[in-house]
Amino acid sequence: MQRLEKAAALLNTRPNEVPAKIEGLLQQIRGLQRENESLTQKLGNIEAKSLSSEKVTINGVQVIAKKVNANNMNALRNILDDLKQSIDSGIILLGSTSDGKVHLVAGITEDLVKRGFHAGKLIKEIAAEVEGSGGGRPDMAQAGGKNPEKLDKALKNVEKWVKSIS
């Protein structure tokens, strides 16, 4: 009974109203989570639009290799998907950090896959540089790593990888 009274006090309600109060709070949390996901997606769309203008050309291949603000792998994949839709041909490698970890995604357009580029191979090489691992398909791959301090350097090595394939 003491626990129920303590819970009621924490919830600023009477003991018999604790279940209803908890249900109301859970509904509020779910609503805030949906709103947060929507805002994260909108921010990702904005970031993808700004990144599409930051392409560099390496041996005739358009490349975007950037660190972005994404707090989880899902947000990172959404930015990648938006970017892939905004370019006709290219290689995209995006990285982010959160909670002391590195998240990486790579995407390669179909025309470049046919030329021998493979997102899974790219992601494995870059993930190793941030003390991580990953893999995936020729057109899309993802990875995680343990060393956020090495992310910027790892992203710069995409140019070397592209030159080795083309």
Side-chain angles (χ1 to χ4, degrees), residues 2-3 6 74 86 91 104:
Q2 263 184 341
R3 287 185 181 165
K6 186 174 180 176
N74 196 33
S86 72
I91 295 172
L104 296 164

Side-chain angles (χ1 to χ4, degrees), residues 3 12 27 37 57 67 92 106-107 113 115 118 132 158:
R3 287 185 181 165
N12 201 22
Q27 286 178 0
E37 288 173 14
T57 302
K67 182 177 180 180
I92 303 165
V113 169
R115 285 182 42 194
H118 192 289
V158 174

Side-chain angles (χ1 to χ4, degrees), residues 62-142:
Q62 293 184 26
V63 177
I64 299 172
K66 295 287 180 179
K67 182 177 180 180
V68 297
N69 292 316
N71 58 359
N72 59 48
M73 190 60 80
N74 196 33
L76 200 55
R77 279 191 306 265
N78 286 337
I79 295 170
L80 175 73
D81 290 342
D82 288 344
L83 266 174
K84 278 182 85 174
Q85 290 176 9
S86 72
I87 63 172
D88 295 328
S89 175
I91 295 172
I92 303 165
L93 180 73
L94 302 176
S96 69
T97 60
S98 66
D99 299 325
K101 295 180 183 173
V102 177
H103 305 287
L104 296 164
V105 293
I108 299 179
T109 56
E110 196 61 39
D111 64 312
L112 295 176
V113 169
K114 290 176 183 173
R115 285 182 42 194
F117 292 96
H118 192 289
K121 292 177 182 176
L122 169 61
I123 207 83
K124 280 186 181 188
E125 189 168 315
I126 301 303
E129 295 181 37
V130 293
E131 300 172 20
S133 63
R137 304 182 312 261
D139 65 324
M140 193 277 190
Q142 64 185 44

Side-chain angles (χ1 to χ4, degrees), residues 38-53:
S38 174
L39 291 172
T40 299
Q41 180 138 10
K42 287 176 184 175
L43 286 173
N45 291 341
I46 291 167
E47 188 149 21
K49 286 178 185 171
S50 71
L51 285 174
S52 65
S53 66

